[in-house]
Amino acid sequence: MAGRWKNDLNWSDTTPKAAWLNRRQIMAGMGAAAFGGIAGPALAGLGAVKSEYSTVEEPNPLDHITSYCNYYEFGTGKEDPARNAHMLNTDGWQVEIDGLVDKPGTWTMDDILKGTTLEERIYRFRCVEAWSMVIPWVGFELADLLARVGVQSGAKYVAFETALRPDEMPGVRSPVIDWPYVEGLRLDEAMNPLTILATGLYDEPMPNQNGAPIRLVVPWKYGFKSIKSIVRISLTDKEPPTSWNKTNGREYGFYSNVNPTVDHPRWSQASERVIGGGILAKRKPTLMFNGYGQEVAGLYEGMDLAKFY
Ligand SMILES: Nc1nc2c(c(=O)[nH]1)N[C@H]1C(S)=C(S)[C@@H](COP(=O)(O)O)O[C@H]1N2
Ligand SMILES: [Mo]
């Protein structure tokens, strides 16, 4: 996806360059010389290439993204993941890929990353709790990995599972969720080019609290669909169970597409609180499919989006 831009302006072009450089230097802890390639496609750090799918909006700073998190395996408070996720040992991480695939097996992170070009995807991110951020993920299209394992013709859904490690995850002692955290997508949703597996953000490896070493990002759906720290990906012919739907099926559906016209039973979804805006910041209106309708509305043609929430 490198090279061709849907928009001429990237957020970095609209931000005073000195400020942008400054921010990146602080983040990467590097000197200005390292940013010689700024006008080119490659960034520093992981060397992720820019993507035509990135939004032109300015990302939230790294500290917002890493300090205000939902990752219940480390506690239900927004700051618990930042405090506790260092306990997760991601060394030697393995992902099992099974079910209706030609080549089932165990993949190390090296296997997964070998032969993949990492892209920067700056996406809007909208939690079902009505807050939002803009996040510069680093990752690759899930479709690329699925092509490598060979999806069989009977497959209709993709199921995902998070690691379950009671010794490293203090939050799983409370039965808030029927652990492990599981999620799922319809196969065509999984194959959409917007759907990525992210292994980093801000061109650095993924922080544990954001779902290291590999997590899903589905930007047109509420945040809980974007499952963290994945250890299993299964291709199936049946709609897989999903954690929040199992926990409270009346409030959380399988699809959970961002939709400002369908309220959560306990609050409005018409607008969202932009993290970092301060308590006096105005809420901004929520966009259908979180603003990604052009890319994904076709997936739901003929479906009653109020019913299949
Ligand atoms: N395994 C797991 N994945 C998860 C969650 C979780 O609690 N456990 N929370 C979800 C929710 S509700 C949101 S909003 C996003 C938050 O991602 P972030 O903390 O990186 O912004 O992760 C999602 N993925
Ligand atoms: Mo969320």
Side-chain angles (χ1 to χ4, degrees):
M1 286 304 145
R4 293 201 64 82
W5 291 63
K6 210 170 257 168
N7 305 292
D8 282 333
L9 283 178
N10 177 265
W11 68 271
S12 59
D13 300 316
T14 60
T15 307
K17 199 168 188 178
W20 188 80
L21 275 168
N22 207 8
R23 187 159 53 228
R24 294 205 54 90
Q25 281 166 26
I26 290 162
M27 275 166 0
M30 299 167 86
F35 295 93
I38 232 158
L43 301 170
L46 293 173
V49 298
K50 292 182 178 184
S51 163
E52 60 175 352
Y53 292 110
S54 288
T55 174
V56 299
E57 287 148 271
E58 181 163 351
N60 282 75
L62 185 63
D63 67 300
H64 294 172
I65 302 168
T66 56
S67 62
Y68 188 91
C69 297
N70 275 332
Y71 196 166
Y72 278 19
E73 286 86 337
F74 296 100
T76 55
K78 291 287 179 283
E79 282 152 30
D80 290 339
R83 193 163 32 239
N84 295 328
H86 66 90
M87 290 187 238
L88 181 66
N89 178 6
T90 60
D91 294 347
W93 197 267
Q94 294 187 333
V95 181
E96 201 72 33
I97 307 184
D98 60 13
L100 299 170
V101 293
D102 294 333
K103 287 174 274 179
T106 306
W107 293 58
T108 64
M109 287 307 295
D110 280 350
D111 296 333
I112 291 172
L113 293 172
K114 210 182 323 165
T116 325
T117 303
L118 291 177
E119 289 181 31
E120 179 188 60
R121 294 282 182 109
I122 307 173
Y123 283 162
R124 289 178 292 279
F125 188 87
R126 170 63 156 81
C127 176
V128 75
E129 298 161 340
W131 54 263
S132 71
M133 297 195 205
V134 175
I135 305 184
W137 304 108
V138 174
F140 57 91
E141 291 176 16
L142 173 60
D144 290 347
L145 183 61
L146 295 181
R148 287 161 79 190
V149 295
V151 176
Q152 294 183 348
S153 60
K156 295 193 179 71
Y157 295 90
V158 188
F160 304 87
E161 189 178 311
T162 295
L164 175 53
R165 299 196 189 160
D167 293 343
E168 300 174 20
M169 296 172 152
V172 306
R173 282 176 223 140
S174 340
V176 247
I177 276 170
D178 175 22
W179 312 106
Y181 196 101
V182 290
E183 257 304 336
L185 296 172
R186 221 169 55 192
L187 184 60
D188 57 350
E189 298 177 319
M191 299 296 281
N192 188 278
L194 286 177
T195 303
I196 59 167
L197 287 170
T199 57
L201 60 83
Y202 266 114
D203 213 36
E204 297 292 336
M206 189 68 76
N208 279 8
Q209 60 264 43
N210 296 100
I214 186 164
R215 60 93 56 86
L216 187 68
V217 179
V218 194
W220 72 93
K221 292 178 179 285
Y222 290 122
F224 66 84
K225 298 293 293 181
S226 293
I227 182 173
K228 293 177 170 181
S229 307
I230 294 168
V231 292
R232 183 184 298 272
I233 300 175
S234 308
L235 279 288
T236 72
D237 57 358
K238 283 181 204 67
E239 186 182 287
T242 60
S243 282
W244 279 104
N245 181 252
K246 283 197 289 181
T247 303
N248 188 343
R250 206 179 70 83
E251 299 191 352
Y252 308 104
F254 176 80
Y255 284 93
S256 291
N257 294 315
V258 175
N259 187 342
T261 70
V262 177
D263 288 340
H264 186 278
R266 290 180 282 134
W267 58 84
S268 166
Q269 294 292 26
S271 69
E272 61 205 52
R273 179 171 57 92
V274 180
I275 298 300
I279 49 165
L280 296 176
K282 267 198 262 165
R283 298 172 72 89
K284 81 173 189 200
T286 289
L287 302 173
M288 187 66 203
F289 297 117
N290 203 22
Y292 297 100
Q294 207 182 311
E295 289 87 353
V296 303
L299 295 171
Y300 309 103
E301 245 158 55
M303 275 176 70
D304 179 354
L305 292 170
K307 191 163 167 242
F308 294 92
Y309 54 94

